[in-house]
Amino acid sequence: MKILLVCNAGMSTSMLVQRMEKAAKDQNLEAEIKAVPFTEAEKMIADWDVILLGPQVRHQLKSLEKKAVGIIPVAVIDMRDYGTMNGENVLKSAIKIIESNK
């Protein structure tokens, strides 16, 4: 599975990416997880299974959804999970979104 995280500069989600990768490894799941700034996400839509926006860029949700409609799901990361860098919960959310859109 391929999960793209989006934030302002692609930096603030790097720790979350690491925690999600660890959670995936602990569960024996193959996952490619990457963080990028919003400006790059628009160009990468077709390459991912789900796009998750950091709470700080949730105002961009509608814009990204319009570009991704019919291609992949887009959602906002739960603010509590993002704030606590709960990679396991964010990974669970991503998996649920991917599975419900198959």
Side-chain angles (χ1 to χ4, degrees):
M1 95 187 80
K2 295 177 70 173
I3 303 166
L4 186 65
L5 304 185
V6 179
C7 65
N8 276 327
M11 304 286 276
S12 62
T13 53
S14 61
M15 183 185 291
L16 183 57
V17 166
Q18 291 173 354
R19 292 188 178 185
M20 289 175 70
E21 288 172 337
K22 182 185 180 321
K25 184 179 179 182
D26 291 347
Q27 297 173 44
N28 293 318
L29 297 173
E30 272 194 47
E32 181 181 345
I33 306 165
K34 183 176 182 176
V36 298
F38 178 78
T39 53
E40 285 185 39
E42 295 176 313
K43 303 169 195 163
M44 305 171 76
I45 289 171
D47 300 331
W48 300 89
D49 296 320
V50 64
I51 295 177
L52 300 177
L53 278 68
Q56 72 276 31
V57 292
R58 69 178 159 265
H59 61 280
Q60 299 285 3
L61 179 64
K62 295 245 186 259
S63 170
L64 205 50
E65 281 179 329
K66 284 180 186 176
K67 293 176 179 165
V69 70
I71 302 170
I72 64 164
V74 180
V76 176
I77 299 169
D78 178 82
M79 193 176 298
R80 183 177 301 140
D81 290 336
Y82 189 88
T84 59
M85 293 286 136
N86 191 328
E88 187 174 343
N89 278 355
V90 177
L91 180 64
K92 283 180 191 175
S93 296
I95 291 168
K96 282 182 188 175
I97 293 167
I98 292 167
E99 289 178 351
S100 68
N101 283 281
K102 284 187 176 180

